[in-house]
Amino acid sequence: MSGRRDRKTIIVFAIIVVAAVAALALAWPPVNAWRLRALFEGPAETPAEAKRGVYPGIDYDFSAWVARSGDNSSADPMHLAAAPEFGDLMGKPAEVSPWQEGPEPADPHAEWKVDAATGATKVARLRSPTVWREPWPHRALTITSPADNALFPPNITAPYVTWEDSQNNLWRITLRKLETRNPKLEPQEDSSSESGAMLWSAVTTERRVRIPDDIWAKVVAAGPNASARIEVRGVNRSCGWWKSRSTIHAAAPVTLLISEDPADNFVVYRLVEPPFINHKTPDMFTRDIRELSPRPFLLGHKQYCFNCHTFSSKSGDTGRVSVQVRYNGKADTLYRTYVAFWDFDRRAGYKAILPFDVQMTTFMAWSPDGMRLATSANQKITAFNPVVHETQSVGQPESDLAVFDTTSGLVCLLPGASEKDVLEIYPSWTPDGKAIVYSSAPAGRHPTATKFDLRIIPYNEGKGGAPRDIPGAAANGRSNFYARFSPDGRWMSFVEADSDSLIKQSSDIYLLPADAVLGGKPAAPRRLESNAAGAADSWHSWSSNSRWLVFASKRDDGIYTRLYMTHIDAVGHASVAVALPVADADERMCYNIPEFVAHAPAVSEPQLYDSVGLGGQTIRVKSSDKADNDPSLD
């Protein structure tokens, strides 16, 4: 009997122990969370925002070197003072890129060099300017993204919140709902005080947290007359629950605003690994901005460079998409460069061989009716091997404008915009389809000495005419390029830089009323408020409702572009830009050539790849001028 009682006692005791452990396990998370949150209770210090800036680059004094060695490249690393022509950069003559025609090297990626094997002089290597600008670190707890009063489209996925802090190792992030659109219109005694209904709070050891989807849905559901506030507090924790000091730090709170205007749901873009080199095979993706992950649109498969792409319709699933193709693989083929098309209505694709000496047609634009494609023609590109990460120059010694009429199946060089010794590039149709805006500059100059003017020329059924400069975007001492008209016809956006057009740290997006471009009352271009000082803001595309611009920006680090969106209001002012959320914060790729479309392109990646690759159907386009036709193409 005693033995049985002992066994029962042991069993009961074991049950009690298991139950106690289970209860403790269930109670531990909320108890732990409560204890961690308690570390942040009480008054907090909100330090004043420190002055922001970047560390200066290194500036070498080469006078002694020059006197001893006779190396004359120190005065000007680009040799512009002595030789402003196209063929001299950092001691290495320019060469026509093998993108054009001819055999490929045995290894298609043999020129992937970013070190001293560039042909540059020793002095030029040291003096080569870097685009990287190391920002001064925030010593105090500071929210770095989103920016204060950032305006989000209501259909964008939940954003990430990031902050910098050199004094703490544990943070609490809080999201509160506010009742007014802009709380700054109602000053509070303490801007860091906790006010508003709490929507969400979390404690973390990371400096980057994404707002949960269900919480973000509540923020968006509140509508454009409400806003939300992000608050971050930090403590220095040691030994689990204890603080090493009593001080609690608080970042200046950030207000988030929701627009009443949605952006287009989809963006099609390329991912490119810098620096710019001859034999890249970048991939293209479609991103639903309502979700976090993209899907492939057209992959290079280590063989193709699918370059500039453009849709004939903002719907994205009707009309056509055109893609510039460069084949970098090893197969034997006559044409390694061509333009390819996918017709969404016919669900068919094809390659087009144009009747020009050079098949490069990198920059393209569809007419408003989707029937004519304006392209750069006879375009040559010279890429100088980089000395420092993504600091090389990319020049375009030749380019004309041509128009491919898909109805007649003919192409023509546009008279007036296909002049000898003149670069004509970056076409964009006017909203009525009667004229083309493009960039023009004298040919033969070094990229750093090239400054484009924006000009407009009548199409005139392919007969062209006399071009004229666009006031404010020509002869202004800067380079003007990438013109884009808003779908409603009210605005023309374009980019300005100190010189040239590609990989320019000085590039910013500007806006002009379309009437001023089309011959109405002249107006001064206005730099959009969404630009970042000292960082490239360039490739851009309008949403179909003409309320949003998506653009590529290097504001984060000077090297890698990310996609940002800004809202354009009724009078042409831009909102504080917001980043398209990216899951991998350390992704070392550049997002470029974003194209807003309302719907997902109705084609699978394998189907598109098979149609535009070497195995796809080929058509040979004839010139409207019969004298220009190559009989070998008949």
Side-chain angles (χ1 to χ4, degrees), residues 578-631:
V578 297
L580 182 65
V582 175
D584 183 4
D586 298 322
E587 186 175 38
R588 296 295 184 257
M589 300 291 283
C590 285
Y591 290 67
N592 77 359
I593 320 181
E595 183 93 359
F596 255 143
V597 289
H599 305 286
V603 58
S604 68
E605 193 281 331
Q607 188 178 23
L608 183 57
Y609 179 82
D610 290 343
S611 297
V612 303
L614 293 186
Q617 178 188 2
T618 301
I619 67 169
R620 290 169 169 80
V621 180
K622 291 186 177 183
S623 172
S624 58
D625 181 356
K626 295 182 179 180
D628 292 338
N629 290 316
D630 183 347

Side-chain angles (χ1 to χ4, degrees), residues 18-78:
V18 171
V21 171
L24 183 60
L26 292 173
W28 175 251
V31 170
N32 185 49
W34 171 83
R35 186 65 185 89
L36 290 177
R37 284 179 170 79
L39 297 177
F40 298 92
E41 300 301 328
E45 295 181 0
T46 303
E49 177 66 20
K51 183 179 179 182
R52 302 300 299 146
V54 296
Y55 292 108
I58 300 174
D59 189 13
Y60 297 98
D61 181 1
F62 290 104
S63 56
W65 176 285
V66 173
R68 182 172 65 253
S69 66
D71 188 331
N72 66 356
S73 65
S74 62
D76 186 345
M78 300 298 181

Side-chain angles (χ1 to χ4, degrees), residues 233-253:
R233 288 191 168 201
V235 298
N236 194 35
R237 180 183 61 160
S238 62
C239 301
W241 284 345
W242 290 272
K243 294 186 290 188
S244 62
R245 50 173 168 73
S246 59
T247 306
I248 301 171
H249 292 157

Side-chain angles (χ1 to χ4, degrees), residues 113-125:
K113 298 182 178 68
V114 294
D115 55 15
T118 61
T121 65
K122 295 179 180 179
V123 172
R125 287 192 204 113

Side-chain angles (χ1 to χ4, degrees), residues 3-296:
R4 292 180 180 177
R5 285 196 298 268
D6 289 343
R7 284 195 298 272
K8 289 182 179 180
T9 301
I10 293 173
I11 292 172
V12 171
F13 180 76
I15 293 174
I16 293 174
V17 170
V18 171
V21 171
L24 183 60
L26 292 173
W28 175 251
V31 170
N32 185 49
W34 171 83
R35 186 65 185 89
L36 290 177
R37 284 179 170 79
L39 297 177
F40 298 92
E41 300 301 328
E45 295 181 0
T46 303
E49 177 66 20
K51 183 179 179 182
R52 302 300 299 146
V54 296
Y55 292 108
I58 300 174
D59 189 13
Y60 297 98
D61 181 1
F62 290 104
S63 56
W65 176 285
V66 173
R68 182 172 65 253
S69 66
D71 188 331
N72 66 356
S73 65
S74 62
D76 186 345
M78 300 298 181
H79 293 230
L80 292 180
E85 297 304 315
F86 204 92
D88 194 6
L89 172 70
M90 298 184 290
K92 182 174 182 177
E95 297 177 356
V96 174
S97 168
W99 285 344
Q100 308 303 326
E101 305 293 347
E104 289 292 307
D107 179 2
H109 303 295
E111 296 188 13
W112 287 36
K113 298 182 178 68
V114 294
D115 55 15
T118 61
T121 65
K122 295 179 180 179
V123 172
R125 287 192 204 113
L126 292 175
R127 288 185 60 90
S128 180
T130 176
V131 295
W132 172 261
R133 292 293 182 266
E134 180 68 29
W136 299 343
H138 290 275
R139 296 187 180 277
L141 174 56
T142 305
I143 298 174
T144 55
S145 180
D148 191 25
N149 281 323
L151 182 64
F152 291 81
N155 55 326
I156 195 172
T157 189
Y160 286 89
V161 181
T162 61
W163 56 90
E164 291 183 7
D165 189 357
S166 62
Q167 304 178 52
N168 302 294
N169 58 19
L170 185 69
W171 298 272
R172 186 189 71 182
I173 177 173
T174 302
L175 183 67
R176 298 179 182 277
K177 178 183 176 182
L178 303 176
E179 297 304 324
T180 58
R181 180 171 176 80
N182 190 345
K184 290 189 175 182
L185 298 178
E186 301 177 1
Q188 301 179 24
E189 294 182 2
D190 180 5
S191 62
S192 65
S193 63
E194 298 182 351
S195 59
M198 181 182 293
L199 293 175
W200 171 68
S201 181
V203 176
T204 179
T205 58
E206 303 294 329
R207 293 180 177 86
R208 183 177 190 255
V209 174
R210 184 168 178 256
I211 299 173
D213 289 326
D214 59 333
I215 302 300
W216 182 247
K218 294 180 180 179
V219 174
V220 173
N225 292 322
S227 58
R229 171 173 289 170
I230 295 174
E231 300 164 354
V232 178
R233 288 191 168 201
V235 298
N236 194 35
R237 180 183 61 160
S238 62
C239 301
W241 284 345
W242 290 272
K243 294 186 290 188
S244 62
R245 50 173 168 73
S246 59
T247 306
I248 301 171
H249 292 157
V254 166
T255 299
L256 308 182
L257 306 174
I258 305 298
S259 173
E260 61 184 350
D261 299 315
D264 283 339
N265 285 331
F266 297 89
V267 180
V268 180
Y269 60 88
R270 292 200 314 163
L271 272 186
V272 184
E273 182 180 7
F276 187 97
I277 53 178
N278 290 349
H279 296 287
K280 282 189 178 296
T281 57
D283 298 323
M284 297 171 62
F285 294 89
T286 300
R287 171 71 183 273
D288 186 337
I289 70 171
R290 299 166 297 183
E291 302 174 355
L292 196 57
S293 300
R295 70 173 179 85

Side-chain angles (χ1 to χ4, degrees), residues 338-353:
Y338 52 87
V339 61
F341 299 86
W342 175 263
D343 190 316
F344 291 103
D345 302 319
R346 296 174 51 209
R347 299 197 60 79
Y350 56 93
K351 307 181 304 179
I353 306 302

Side-chain angles (χ1 to χ4, degrees), residues 515-534:
D515 288 345
V517 176
L518 301 177
K521 183 180 179 181
R526 187 166 48 78
R527 180 179 179 270
L528 290 182
E529 298 88 338
S530 53
N531 287 292

